[in-house]
Amino acid sequence: MRRVYADLHIHIGRTSAGEPVKITAARDLTFENIARECATRKGIEVAGIVDCGSPAVMADIDRLVESGEMVELPGGGLRYRDTTTIILGCELETVEDDGGASHHVAYFLSL
C-alpha cells in the first residue's frame, strides 16, 4: 500500500493582487503560494483548495494554467511541478433556523 500525503481543506487568504478571500487565513496564502509550499516544503501530494469559487481566484488559476506553471489533468485537477495535484473546491456555509451553522465542501474537476 502506498501512502499519499494530502490536505483537502486549505483556505486562500489573498489573491495574487492582494484582495482578501478568506479573512481569517494568512495573507501570504495565495493559490500559487499554497501550491508552492505543498510541492517544495510540505511534501503534500494532493491539495484541496476550497476557495476556488471566487472570481479573483479563478483569474489567478487561469493565469497559472496559461503560463504553463500548472497543467490541467485529463481526469480532473491541476498538476503543479510534477509533484502536487491541486483539487479545486468551494466551501459553502449555511445557517440553520436554530442559528447553527453548517459547512459543506464541494470539489470540481475543472474551472
Side-chain angles (χ1 to χ4, degrees), residues 9-93:
H9 195 148
I10 304 171
H11 282 285
I12 297 172
R14 303 262 174 184
T15 66
S16 62
E19 300 170 52
V21 178
K22 176 76 173 175
I23 295 180
T24 57
R27 292 177 183 204
D28 60 345
L29 286 177
T30 64
F31 187 87
E32 185 173 10
N33 287 348
I34 291 167
R36 184 180 305 113
E37 284 292 305
C38 288
T40 61
R41 286 191 348 116
K42 303 290 185 180
I44 295 175
E45 299 165 85
V46 179
I49 302 178
V50 298
D51 296 308
C52 298
S54 162
V57 172
M58 288 183 207
D60 283 349
I61 296 167
D62 282 336
R63 181 182 51 78
L64 292 166
V65 170
E66 288 170 7
S67 73
E69 188 78 18
M70 290 191 177
V71 177
E72 290 185 89
L73 296 172
L78 301 171
R79 192 75 173 153
Y80 181 77
R81 293 193 180 175
D82 293 327
T83 59
T84 302
T85 298
I86 307 293
I87 301 172
L88 306 175
C90 184
E91 181 178 32
L92 307 168
E93 179 180 350

